[in-house]
Amino acid sequence: MAVETVASAVSASTDFGPAVALSCRECGERFPLGPIFACEACFGPLEVAYEFPSGDPEGLRRRIEAGPTSIWRYAPLLPVPADVAAKPNLNPGFTKLVKADRLARELGVTGGLHVKDDSGNPTHSFKDRVVAIAVEAARNFGLTTLSCSSTGNLAGAVGAAAVRAGFRSCVFIPHDLEAGKVVMAAVYGGELVGIEGTYDDVNRFCSELIGDPIGEGWGFTNVNLRPYYGEGSKTLAYEICEQLGWRLPDNIVIPIASGSQLTKIDKGLQELVKLGLVEDKPYRIYGAQAEGCSPVSTAFKAGHDVVRPQKPNTIAKSLAIGNPADGPYVLDIARRTGGAVEDVNDEQIVDAIKLLARTEGIFAETAGGVTIGVLRKLIETGQLDPADETVAINTGDGLKTLDAVAPTTGPTAIIRPTLDSFREAGLA
Ligand SMILES: *Cc1c(COP(=O)(O)O)cnc(C)c1O
Ligand SMILES: [Zn+2]
């Protein structure tokens, strides 16, 4: 309730660019733009609704192409003010779309394969995109503390963005994350709290904090700012299509934690079609999970509409959300587009990390291993046509999850510094 009071008090003086309201994904009820995330009528999740200027796709395309080489080139399609790029921020996005010919040969893909490499973002994961939009919302609402419940990457992204934008930060993670994630979350100097429990416990705790007077003035990027946060993932769709020469690929393979990224990439693709920026054609959305945390792929394979929560046990900790908020929407999108949701086990994840590294020179974190591993499995099981053009998203950097590959990776040989010793090792 406290949160909604803040919303109505400040929403009049805010600048959200083309965004006009929040609308309920379940019942369609509309609300003024504010730091709220659930529908008052039905408790459904809220999302940002827009009024885009229409009628001049060429002009819009030229304006985007002349913009900064960051997500802000798409400011006309995001809930942000037009001068957003001038504000202090990390300028994430416009990461490389790598034409992955060697990986394609290895997997038998003949229709073209690209890896969208989001490890190139400022804090080395795709989370910088979503946080950047949430920060603008926090500025608009006059919030002072940035926070989140995180599986690791989000905590680092919030910590860094808060410093640059001048917010206090206090972020929450499960206490047993990888060292690389903990260091990345702590090094920017904000408060970092490890919670004894799973991500789902952390998330529940944060929901309680928001409802408490302690949480007044707090912007939880993925809770009360979630509608804005989610919009950041649309920029992956925009960039992929622009980098392909303003056209849709046939397939996109996307990792799933809460499912937000996948659902918003679909939203972004549809917007591009509606605005006339790309030609309409069918595309398929594929979701990727780790077997040890596969609530969505399990529901997909069983033909269920309901996602049953799981207790995660996987090396892909950034994807370890046992009760994914957007799970049912992911199922809808995979089914509507003719895609699928698959999962791979820990060994297949490690193999896929190494496969991507040795074919394309891209070192992915475990989530990237999930995506490439699932791509391989989708092809092997006939669920994805290798004659199609496919884009797979690498959402994070392997340096953050060294422990996953360290046990099976190391020097080819250790020798004395002599030519004889090198010859003896059989490497000459
Ligand atoms: C957060 C995250 C995702 C996807 O998260 P969603 O909650 O599904 O949007 C994917 N990869 C990495 C590395 C992440 O940190
Ligand atoms: Zn509703």
Side-chain angles (χ1 to χ4, degrees):
M1 280 301 110
V3 168
E4 279 157 31
T5 318
V6 174
S8 46
V10 298
S11 62
S13 62
T14 56
D15 182 355
F16 285 96
V20 293
L22 293 176
S23 76
C24 174
R25 258 145 88 185
E26 289 299 320
C27 75
E29 179 88 18
R30 288 202 162 203
F31 302 90
L33 291 157
I36 53 168
F37 58 102
C39 173
E40 273 170 32
C42 78
F43 300 110
L46 302 180
E47 74 174 336
V48 177
Y50 298 89
E51 266 167 28
F52 293 128
S54 58
D56 182 17
E58 262 318 308
L60 180 54
R61 191 180 307 177
R62 271 198 307 276
R63 185 172 157 197
I64 290 170
E65 287 173 348
T69 50
S70 70
I71 59 170
W72 303 133
R73 67 204 279 108
Y74 307 106
L77 308 179
L78 295 168
V80 295
D83 66 346
V84 63
K87 303 191 178 197
N89 81 97
L90 294 171
N91 292 305
F94 219 65
T95 56
K96 287 173 188 146
L97 184 70
V98 178
K99 188 146 195 303
D101 291 339
R102 288 169 54 93
L103 178 63
R105 264 201 299 282
E106 194 90 25
L107 297 178
V109 173
T110 55
L113 178 61
H114 291 84
V115 175
K116 178 63 170 165
D117 188 12
D118 248 19
S119 67
N121 275 309
T123 70
H124 307 283
S125 87
F126 107 98
K127 288 295 197 300
D128 293 317
R129 298 176 182 274
V130 283
V131 168
I133 311 295
V135 166
E136 289 316 308
R139 272 200 246 260
N140 265 333
F141 298 134
L143 303 173
T144 50
T145 299
L146 285 182
S147 186
C148 63
S149 56
S150 171
T151 55
N153 285 316
L154 182 56
V158 167
V163 167
R164 189 69 70 87
F167 287 81
R168 171 182 181 248
S169 76
C170 180
V171 300
F172 300 91
I173 55 171
H175 71 107
D176 61 349
L177 289 183
E178 304 96 331
K181 300 267 173 66
V182 177
V183 169
M184 281 287 288
V187 75
Y188 303 106
E191 249 88 55
L192 169 69
V193 180
I195 290 192
E196 292 166 7
T198 64
Y199 170 82
D200 298 284
D201 296 320
V202 177
N203 202 40
R204 245 190 325 272
F205 169 81
C206 288
S207 300
E208 255 182 71
L209 216 164
I210 288 171
D212 191 273
I214 304 173
E216 243 167 87
W218 287 46
F220 285 79
T221 55
N222 57 334
V223 189
N224 59 341
L225 300 178
R226 188 173 180 82
Y228 312 92
Y229 162 99
E231 296 299 291
S233 287
K234 295 193 309 180
T235 60
L236 274 164
Y238 302 155
E239 288 179 21
I240 288 168
C241 291
E242 182 179 353
Q243 289 169 320
L244 286 173
W246 293 109
R247 57 186 183 78
L248 296 166
D250 297 317
N251 307 317
I252 306 185
V253 188
I254 306 164
I256 301 167
S258 71
S260 170
Q261 178 181 162
L262 186 147
T263 59
K264 298 307 177 186
I265 286 176
D266 180 60
K267 185 181 183 189
L269 296 175
Q270 290 187 38
E271 285 173 355
L272 292 182
V273 171
K274 267 190 228 124
L275 288 162
L277 291 172
V278 299
E279 212 170 290
D280 196 7
K281 76 169 181 98
Y283 59 83
R284 293 185 185 79
I285 300 281
Y286 293 89
Q289 295 212 289
E291 192 181 291
C293 183
S294 51
V296 188
S297 62
T298 301
F300 181 85
K301 291 177 198 178
H304 293 161
D305 295 330
V306 176
V307 175
R308 210 170 294 153
Q310 291 181 2
K311 194 161 167 54
N313 179 18
T314 168
I315 58 169
K317 295 189 179 184
S318 53
L319 304 181
I321 298 185
N323 189 11
D326 289 292
Y329 301 106
V330 169
L331 291 173
D332 285 349
I333 291 166
R335 289 176 179 141
R336 167 170 54 76
T337 64
V341 187
E342 249 307 349
D343 54 79
V344 283
N345 64 33
D346 285 357
E347 196 184 327
Q348 292 167 318
I349 294 169
V350 173
D351 283 349
I353 291 174
K354 291 180 173 176
L355 172 65
L356 180 61
R358 77 176 155 76
T359 53
E360 299 300 337
I362 295 172
F363 184 23
E365 77 144 84
T366 44
V370 168
T371 305
I372 300 301
V374 162
L375 169 62
R376 171 148 73 182
K377 189 165 173 182
L378 289 167
I379 294 165
E380 283 169 2
T381 53
Q383 298 180 84
L384 184 146
D385 187 347
D388 280 353
E389 181 177 59
T390 295
V391 176
I393 301 180
N394 173 39
T395 46
D397 194 318
L399 289 174
K400 292 200 205 185
T401 57
L402 287 175
D403 285 354
V405 287
T408 55
T409 317
T412 310
I414 297 207
I415 63 167
R416 281 168 280 112
T418 65
L419 290 178
D420 276 349
S421 186
F422 186 60
R423 262 185 228 106
E424 276 160 31
L427 296 168

